[in-house]
């Protein structure tokens, strides 16, 4: 069994898809692109981690695989775009997902906009749409758990024509109605957003404003977000 | 050379697709309309579902490919929930884990007039189409015309497709996602 000496090394054979190409070797998962049943497909393979107890590790890995599938289903049922799941191999914890073709991550989009010298104000429309989608996701009680600008894809954005936003990477997601959990979700995004993209405070405020406008439940979430921010600051003053 | 095999091509009577995860396995699909002997076939398949499955509730050939891939996978890892590969394909089409419900809803009924036949075979095997066409009293038409025969309203109901969901994807997307997710819902 490949699981025996786990590790993040090459213990697990890559999926036998023709032309499979490694896109990303992460800490938790390898992401491949290949063809599956004739379609462009992304394979996300969660591999065993040596430093965790094998039984606990297998449990966590299974749970993340299941959560990813569950939350994608919940989102799509609510009309929130996420990749279709084609197939799940629960014995190797591989998820076969629709490839969102011709997409770029929001991270790449913001970075290239800034690099080209355009004002971040040109991104306000995008910030509005991100705020709306996250509000909708939270209204469905899906807490993403790893909101970053790399975990949002943009398809078909052209000058003057807004593209479609697709949420991905739901492995750390869970279902919760608690404003606190949603507040932490937004806090994680804020931290990631501002540290990845310099000088985007106003842009992120725009995103939050749109989030608030889009959901009746948002004020309670923002209240928690403020509390979490304060806690974060106190902790960093002590540490 | 590959010309001797059935390559996927629009307008072809039957379509063959390799299962990439199982390099020696292929799936061939045949579509029939105006089928007159469903009742008879149903009796025959009840006792002997290793012959072939009859699938009337399919939106797209990709849906059945996904079901076939899953059935072959579960057979290889010893985790089939039903007795044969072909009954497992029918079960795999269902969005729920209830086996008898799956057969009732996704198997053929006496009144069906259009059916899809899905065969899993060794890639190198010469596929004998007559094995199927001799038993089905109906007109074979190109397999990729399946969507012209499928009852969309019924399929949407079977998979409980929400109107919001249709804004971000197709009925096929909704069906395939539920088939993949049923173990975790
Ligand atoms: N369905 C998809 N379509 C297109 N690209 C994808 C898809 N899923 C993932 N990617 C690409 O692969 C990267 C890593 O995938 P992700 O699911 O975020 O895994 P990780 O947990 O390693 O971050 C994404 O940032 C994106 O660039
Ligand atoms: Mg990611």
């Amino acid at each position: 069994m490949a699981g025996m000496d786990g590790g993040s090394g090459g213990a697990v054979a890559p999926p036998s898809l023709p032309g499979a190409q490694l896109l990303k070797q992460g800490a938790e998962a390898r992401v491949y692109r290949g063809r599956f049943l004739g379609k462009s497909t992304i394979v996300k393979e969660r591999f065993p981690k040596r430093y965790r107890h094998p039984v606990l590790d297998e449990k966590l890995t299974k749970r993340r695989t299941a959560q990813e599938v569950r939350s994608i289903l919940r989102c799509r049922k609510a009309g929130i775009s996420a990749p279709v799941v084609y197939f799940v191999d629960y014995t190797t914890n591989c998820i076969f997902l629709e490839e969102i073709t011709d997409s770029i991550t929001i991270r790449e989009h913001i970075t290239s906009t800034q690099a080209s010298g355009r004002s971040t104000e040109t991104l306000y429309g995008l910030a509005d749409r991100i705020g709306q989608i996250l509000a909708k996701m939270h209204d469905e009680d899906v807490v993403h758990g790893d909101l970053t600008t790399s975990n949002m894809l943009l398809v078909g954005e052209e000058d003057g024509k807004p593209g479609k936003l697709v949420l991905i990477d739901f492995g750390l997601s869970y279902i919760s109605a608690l404003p606190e959990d949603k507040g932490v979700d937004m806090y994680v995004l804020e931290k990631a957003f501002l540290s990845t993209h310099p000088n985007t405070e106003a842009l992120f405020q725009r995103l939050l404003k749109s989030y608030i406008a889009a959901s009746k439940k948002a004020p309670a979430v923002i209240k928690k977000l403020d509390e979490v921010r304060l806690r974060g600051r106190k902790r960093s003053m002590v540490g | 050379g590959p010309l001797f095999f059935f390559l996927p091509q629009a307008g072809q009577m039957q379509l063959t697709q390799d299962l990439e995860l199982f390099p020696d396995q292929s799936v061939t699909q045949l579509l029939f309309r105006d089928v007159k002997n469903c009742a008879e076939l149903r009796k025959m398949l009840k006792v002997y579902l290793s012959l072939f499955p009859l699938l009337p509730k399919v939106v797209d050939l990709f849906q059945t490919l996904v079901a076939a891939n899953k059935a072959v996978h579960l057979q290889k890892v010893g985790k089939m929930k039903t007795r044969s590969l072909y009954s497992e394909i029918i079960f795999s089409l269902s969005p729920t884990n209830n086996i008898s419900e799956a057969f009732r809803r996704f198997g053929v009924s006496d009144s069906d007039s259009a059916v899809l036949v899905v065969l899993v075979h060794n890639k190198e095997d010469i596929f004998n189409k007559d094995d199927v066409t001799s038993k089905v009293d109906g007109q074979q038409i190109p397999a990729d015309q399946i969507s012209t025969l499928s009852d969309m309203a019924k399929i949407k109901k079977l998979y409980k497709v929400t109107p919001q969901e249709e804004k971000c994807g197709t009925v096929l997307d909704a069906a395939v996602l539920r088939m993949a997710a049923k173990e975790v819902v």
Side-chain angles (χ1 to χ4, degrees):
Chain A
M1 288 290 289
M4 287 315 285
D5 66 352
S8 52
V12 184
S16 57
L17 295 185
Q21 173 195 355
L22 185 67
L23 284 188
K24 188 186 170 195
Q25 164 81 61
E28 294 270 337
R30 277 184 280 264
V31 178
Y32 301 87
R33 174 200 283 134
R35 291 197 66 85
F36 170 68
L37 305 178
K39 287 201 199 276
S40 307
T41 301
I42 296 288
V43 186
K44 189 164 179 179
E45 177 187 51
R46 290 194 163 78
F47 47 79
K49 299 183 77 175
R50 212 196 289 276
Y51 58 81
R52 274 199 302 243
H53 186 278
V55 176
L56 175 69
D57 180 66
E58 175 63 12
K59 238 181 166 163
L60 273 176
T61 305
K62 278 226 152 22
R63 187 184 304 157
R64 289 191 178 154
T65 304
Q67 269 322 119
E68 180 130 38
V69 176
R70 248 179 231 134
S71 293
I72 287 176
L73 178 62
R74 194 147 173 150
C75 280
R76 287 191 64 103
K77 275 185 179 174
I80 301 161
S81 289
V84 178
V85 182
Y86 291 151
F87 170 61
V88 187
D89 181 345
Y90 291 100
T91 62
T92 55
N93 295 301
C94 279
I95 304 183
F96 293 68
L97 297 154
E98 163 196 15
E99 180 184 354
I100 309 300
T101 47
D102 301 318
S103 65
I104 57 167
T105 63
I106 296 293
R107 178 185 180 143
E108 291 165 324
H109 184 69
I110 295 178
T111 303
S112 74
T113 302
Q114 287 187 318
S116 72
R118 268 173 294 166
S119 138
T120 47
E121 278 174 43
T122 59
L123 295 166
Y124 278 7
L126 180 65
D128 288 346
R129 278 180 288 135
I130 298 173
Q132 284 159 10
I133 285 186
L134 297 182
K136 200 166 170 188
M137 181 186 80
H138 281 170
D139 277 348
E140 294 298 320
D141 293 337
V142 174
V143 176
H144 185 283
D146 190 17
L147 285 178
T148 64
T149 50
S150 299
N151 288 336
M152 302 172 188
L153 303 180
L154 187 60
V155 198
E157 177 106 347
E158 282 164 40
D159 286 331
K161 185 178 150 276
K164 188 170 90 162
L165 271 168
V166 182
L167 300 181
I168 60 165
D169 202 358
F170 284 89
L172 295 175
S173 68
Y174 56 99
I175 306 301
S176 168
L178 295 179
E180 163 109 35
D181 291 336
K182 297 171 188 174
V184 171
D185 221 18
M186 295 307 279
Y187 181 69
V188 167
L189 177 63
E190 182 175 66
K191 280 279 201 191
F193 201 105
L194 299 179
S195 66
T196 315
H197 310 292
N199 309 314
T200 52
E201 285 75 12
L203 184 63
F204 192 77
Q205 280 312 309
R206 179 86 190 204
L207 187 160
L208 280 184
K209 246 178 98 179
S210 147
Y211 176 89
I212 294 165
S215 168
K216 282 204 289 283
K217 295 180 189 163
V221 176
I222 299 301
K223 195 167 155 259
K224 290 295 177 187
L225 170 63
D226 289 335
E227 287 176 25
V228 178
R229 275 185 190 137
L230 205 63
R231 258 188 269 152
R233 215 166 297 141
K234 274 188 192 145
R235 203 178 300 133
S236 67
M237 278 195 290
V238 175
Chain B
L3 281 178
F4 295 108
F5 301 118
F6 300 97
L7 296 176
Q9 219 174 70
Q12 273 205 332
M13 276 313 213
Q14 59 264 333
L15 287 183
T16 299
Q17 164 74 46
D18 296 343
L19 294 180
E20 297 90 344
L21 297 179
F22 312 97
D24 56 335
Q25 300 283 294
S26 293
V27 173
T28 294
Q29 309 198 60
L30 301 88
L31 180 63
F32 297 88
R33 67 170 210 205
D34 303 323
V35 180
K36 292 180 192 75
N37 64 335
C38 271
E40 180 196 334
L41 282 167
R42 218 158 76 92
K43 267 181 223 134
M44 185 170 92
L45 296 176
K46 211 170 204 160
V47 255
Y48 196 49
L49 198 60
S50 56
L51 212 52
F52 50 76
L54 286 172
L55 305 166
K57 277 110 188 167
V58 175
V59 218
D60 189 287
L61 299 180
F62 184 66
Q63 185 189 355
T64 29
L65 276 178
V66 166
N69 174 77
K70 185 170 177 178
V72 173
H73 163 73
L74 292 175
Q75 188 181 46
K76 293 257 144 95
V77 299
K79 291 199 167 155
M80 287 208 302
K81 296 269 161 50
T82 63
R83 276 179 303 169
S84 77
L85 184 66
Y86 288 139
S87 52
E88 197 69 19
I89 292 180
I90 297 175
F91 178 57
S92 291
L93 282 172
S94 171
T96 77
N97 291 300
N98 183 321
I99 294 174
S100 56
E101 187 180 276
F103 281 92
R104 208 166 50 243
R105 293 187 177 165
F106 291 88
V108 71
S109 70
D110 292 353
S111 58
D112 282 314
S113 64
V115 290
L116 183 70
V117 171
V118 178
L119 299 167
V120 178
H121 54 92
N122 204 296
K123 211 181 198 166
E124 313 293 318
D125 279 356
I126 309 286
F127 163 71
N128 189 1
K129 176 178 140 172
D130 291 345
D131 289 347
V132 178
T133 51
S134 64
K135 293 179 181 71
V136 180
D137 178 10
Q139 186 195 348
Q140 193 190 359
I141 61 168
D144 61 3
Q145 287 181 16
I146 180 96
S147 64
T148 64
L149 298 181
S150 44
D151 182 344
M152 268 306 188
K154 197 182 249 169
I155 292 169
K156 277 188 210 176
K157 226 174 110 188
L158 280 171
Y159 287 101
K160 299 197 171 77
V161 182
T162 67
Q164 299 101 287
E165 193 170 4
E166 283 190 78
K167 283 186 208 148
C168 73
T170 61
V171 174
L172 172 65
D173 291 337
V176 166
L177 176 55
R178 279 163 182 72
M179 287 159 54
K182 74 175 176 185
E183 281 86 353
V184 296
V185 293

